Amino acid sequence: MAQNKLTLSTLESWLWDSANILRGSIDSSDFKNYIFGLLFLKRSNDVFEEEVENIMKREGFTREEAEEETYFQLPKEARWNSIKTHTENIGIALDKAFAAIEQANTSLEGVMTATKFGDKEKLSDELLQRLLRHFNQHSLRNDHLESNDLLGDAYEYLIKMFADDAGKKGGEFYTPRGVVQLIVQLIKPEPKQKVYDPTCGSGGMLIESARYIAQQPNGKVGNNVNVSLYGQEKNLGTWAIGKLNMLLHNFMDADIRKGDTLTAPQHKNDQNELTLFDRVIANPPFSMDGWWTPAENAIEVKLDKNGKEKKVTPNYTKVVSDPYGRFQYGIPPRGYADLAFLQHMVAVLKQDGKAGVVLPHGTLFRSGTEGAIRQGLLEADLVEGIVGLPSALFYNTGIPASIWIINKNKTEAQKGKVIIIDASNDYKEGKNQNELEATHINRIVTAYNGATNVDKYMRVVDVKELAENDYNLNISRFIDTSEPEPEVDIKAVHQKLEALEQKEADIDKKLAEFLKELGV
């Protein structure tokens, strides 16, 4: 009897139910780490079994021979059938399984062991037994899934749901899909290109870029998208999720590295020079404080006149020394990493490259060093466009943000000009967050591509005008969205007042007559 194919809605509700099993035992912001680990373990077991059976059938191999030929190596300790029979020390068995998978598959080093299942105070054997029984309900073989992208889609659903569940913490690893789609459609990645996200979180921006490329002519080679994906992520747990996200979306060769992009960028060539990319896309943490770690780790402590210890705040213009020469337009202040990230992106762009990055509105108008950096970028004619977004789109902040589009190879028509769009009213109101829908994205992209002024919405502004405004990019300076006050006809108003005064006099006269009749 043929098995019914697993649909996305069934898969989503099945996975979300696994979160409900964990509720009360661990913090909701940690759910994702455990569930993603078990999802990957079940998926890799089912696909491994499927591949072994196919090899045996196709090549006439024994099971032992077929297991040696699989793309993904699954050690005996990580076999699902063995793990699900455990009744005690289940967490330790899972930790051993994940460690064995990493050892057998070097590309997964540090990914599977980022989450520890062996802590019985958090996860009892009874709870883990329930989880394993729950994950045993469905087969995740390719042949049993309704579509090739099903696991990736379900994974994205979970990432979004966990971001919703985690509230502000969710913004650390997830950018709302509407914002991602908008940036991708503005920078237009192409087949064969290298796409890079220096703060990649769970990898959604890279996957959306690949999805866009897959729709282009020559966007796919066989079943594979014709793109090379690169990313770096500082948070270890989030990096592990990003790696798993790539695997579940079938981007086996995505180069996702861990570490601090500002102080230790990982993508370099043999000469220790930064790798260059065709497209860069990112949503860095907004206004990150103390962003140059070497300076923060070496903070001096002195005694004040009262003998109390006092930390000496590092002067970033003196202590920041970048061996890659990324901060050529200036060193951003200690309290705002935004333009440090932006300058890193400019530095790793090829000469015909484009970047799209989400930054807080403050980057458009803050003065001091940031003002000087902004001036340098505009004078170098690197800024192609600025899109002002609605407020409350992101999980980690309610403040409005903006998208900066950087272009190292402007067309003749684009040179010396910046497209500025006020999309602050393009959203669907939500309970927790506002949302960019397809209609809003289409409106923004159509206006941007058209590159002609749209009243109260978009302007193509000459850099000379920006210079006259001290390179302040505050959108309200260039796009007036206020409604004109209606003209007042003074003569007509005066006539109305006279009529009202006459009416009032008539009423007073009648009232006096009534009172006289009543003898008052």
Side-chain angles (χ1 to χ4, degrees):
M1 182 178 159
Q3 171 163 336
N4 288 332
K5 300 270 187 179
L6 190 61
T7 64
L8 183 60
S9 59
T10 303
L11 184 54
E12 285 176 349
S13 59
W14 175 54
L15 291 173
W16 190 247
D17 285 344
S18 64
N20 292 328
I21 293 172
L22 286 169
R23 285 192 199 284
S25 299
I26 56 172
D27 190 71
S28 63
S29 61
D30 292 329
F31 285 178
K32 59 186 183 300
N33 302 326
Y34 297 99
I35 291 169
F36 292 162
L38 288 174
L39 173 65
F40 183 79
L41 184 63
K42 181 67 165 67
R43 164 71 169 169
S44 55
N45 265 272
D46 289 350
V47 170
F48 177 79
E49 283 298 317
E50 184 177 40
E51 194 179 354
V52 166
E53 288 174 17
N54 287 339
I55 293 169
M56 288 167 66
K57 191 175 177 181
R58 188 175 64 243
E59 307 292 342
F61 286 178
T62 64
R63 181 176 181 86
E64 197 171 27
E65 289 170 333
E67 286 185 2
E68 292 295 318
E69 295 295 315
T70 56
Y71 176 81
F72 181 83
Q73 293 298 303
L74 194 69
K76 294 274 193 288
E77 308 96 301
R79 303 288 167 90
W80 187 261
N81 286 337
S82 168
I83 292 167
K84 73 179 183 182
T85 59
H86 282 71
T87 55
E88 56 185 30
N89 297 325
I90 299 170
I92 292 167
L94 284 167
D95 287 341
K96 284 180 179 175
F98 289 131
I101 287 174
E102 282 188 15
Q103 203 170 353
N105 302 272
T106 52
S107 66
L108 290 175
E109 188 181 345
V111 176
M112 310 309 301
T113 52
T115 301
K116 303 298 179 192
F117 282 81
D119 184 347
K120 285 196 176 185
E121 287 188 11
K122 280 186 176 179
L123 300 167
S124 66
D125 282 327
E126 184 190 15
L127 180 71
L128 285 172
Q129 263 191 318
R130 280 184 66 200
L131 267 179
L132 290 176
R133 281 199 301 269
H134 182 75
F135 272 89
N136 204 44
Q137 287 177 13
H138 294 286
S139 165
L140 297 176
R141 292 177 175 224
N142 288 319
D143 196 42
H144 294 164
L145 303 179
E146 194 178 48
S147 78
N148 292 338
D149 292 333
L150 196 69
L151 255 290
D153 290 343
Y155 197 79
E156 279 183 48
Y157 159 81
L158 272 183
I159 288 172
K160 182 190 182 309
M161 291 301 285
F162 286 132
D164 281 338
D165 215 44
K168 288 192 174 183
K169 279 190 176 180
E172 294 171 13
F173 62 92
Y174 178 78
T175 303
R177 194 166 179 182
V179 176
V180 181
Q181 288 173 333
L182 172 59
I183 301 174
V184 169
Q185 290 181 41
L186 290 173
I187 64 171
K188 300 178 176 60
E190 297 171 9
K192 297 184 182 179
Q193 288 188 335
K194 288 182 173 183
V195 182
Y196 167 68
D197 183 344
T199 57
C200 67
S202 53
M205 288 187 149
L206 293 173
I207 286 166
E208 192 61 46
S209 299
R211 195 177 271 139
Y212 178 89
I213 287 170
Q215 303 302 315
Q216 311 306 316
N218 305 314
K220 294 188 89 170
V221 178
N223 288 323
N224 298 318
V225 182
N226 196 1
V227 66
S228 301
L229 302 178
Y230 302 80
Q232 186 166 340
E233 172 54 42
K234 185 177 180 180
N235 181 289
L236 181 64
T238 306
W239 167 79
I241 289 170
K243 289 277 284 186
L244 292 180
N245 201 8
M246 293 298 152
L247 288 167
L248 289 171
H249 277 90
N250 298 317
F251 295 112
M252 306 290 184
D253 299 324
D255 186 353
I256 311 298
R257 311 227 182 145
K258 53 189 168 186
D260 184 333
T261 303
L262 292 179
T263 58
Q266 295 296 304
H267 294 92
K268 293 173 284 190
N269 62 19
D270 295 339
Q271 286 77 47
N272 202 37
E273 297 167 333
L274 296 175
T275 306
L276 300 182
F277 303 96
D278 301 285
R279 294 290 185 271
V280 180
I281 182 167
N283 175 19
F286 285 2
S287 302
M288 191 171 79
D289 191 16
W291 52 271
W292 194 254
T293 319
E296 299 301 321
N297 291 342
I299 285 179
E300 289 182 71
V301 178
K302 291 186 176 178
L303 297 176
D304 65 15
K305 59 184 179 182
N306 299 317
K308 285 188 176 181
E309 287 189 347
K310 186 180 179 184
K311 288 182 179 179
V312 179
T313 305
N315 180 344
Y316 268 40
T317 55
K318 292 180 180 176
V319 298
V320 175
S321 176
D322 179 43
Y324 308 103
R326 290 171 293 175
F327 308 131
Q328 60 175 302
Y329 298 104
I331 295 166
R334 182 179 180 231
Y336 299 103
D338 308 305
L339 296 183
F341 282 114
L342 185 61
Q343 287 188 89
H344 168 77
M345 292 176 224
V346 170
V348 298
L349 268 184
K350 289 182 181 178
Q351 283 310 110
D352 59 351
K354 288 180 83 168
V357 54
V358 183
L359 294 174
H361 258 354
T363 56
L364 301 176
F365 53 79
R366 286 194 294 249
S367 56
T369 319
E370 288 184 291
I373 295 169
R374 194 168 54 245
Q375 178 174 341
L377 291 165
L378 288 164
E379 286 179 338
D381 208 10
L382 290 168
V383 184
E384 179 188 292
I386 300 289
V387 178
L389 295 172
S391 58
L393 285 179
F394 298 89
Y395 291 96
N396 51 345
T397 178
I399 64 168
S402 53
I403 296 170
W404 287 62
I405 303 296
I406 299 294
N407 187 351
K408 278 195 172 179
N409 188 29
K410 285 186 174 184
T411 64
E412 282 303 315
Q414 291 170 328
K415 285 178 180 174
K417 296 179 176 65
V418 177
I419 293 170
I420 298 179
I421 292 181
D422 182 351
S424 57
N425 293 315
D426 288 333
Y427 66 91
K428 176 191 174 187
E429 197 167 337
K431 190 173 78 170
N432 296 319
Q433 270 81 34
N434 292 329
E435 190 180 341
L436 274 183
E437 293 190 315
T439 51
H440 308 124
I441 295 168
N442 290 341
R443 185 187 182 205
I444 296 165
V445 172
T446 301
Y448 193 95
N449 291 343
T452 51
N453 293 344
V454 179
D455 190 39
K456 301 188 184 302
Y457 189 69
M458 189 192 102
R459 272 193 68 205
V460 181
V461 183
D462 200 293
V463 174
K464 289 175 186 172
E465 185 179 343
L466 298 175
E468 289 164 8
N469 281 272
D470 297 321
Y471 298 97
N472 184 322
L473 286 172
N474 201 341
I475 291 170
S476 61
R477 285 192 173 212
F478 306 99
I479 298 175
D480 180 12
T481 57
S482 63
E483 293 298 327
E485 293 289 333
E487 284 189 20
V488 178
D489 186 336
I490 300 295
K491 189 177 179 182
V493 170
H494 189 64
Q495 286 174 344
K496 276 186 182 178
L497 284 173
E498 282 184 341
L500 285 171
E501 284 171 2
Q502 184 58 52
K503 198 172 182 181
E504 186 182 12
D506 291 343
I507 290 168
D508 286 345
K509 187 179 176 184
K510 280 184 180 178
L511 183 60
E513 287 173 359
F514 285 141
L515 292 173
K516 189 177 178 182
E517 286 175 15
L518 291 169
V520 177

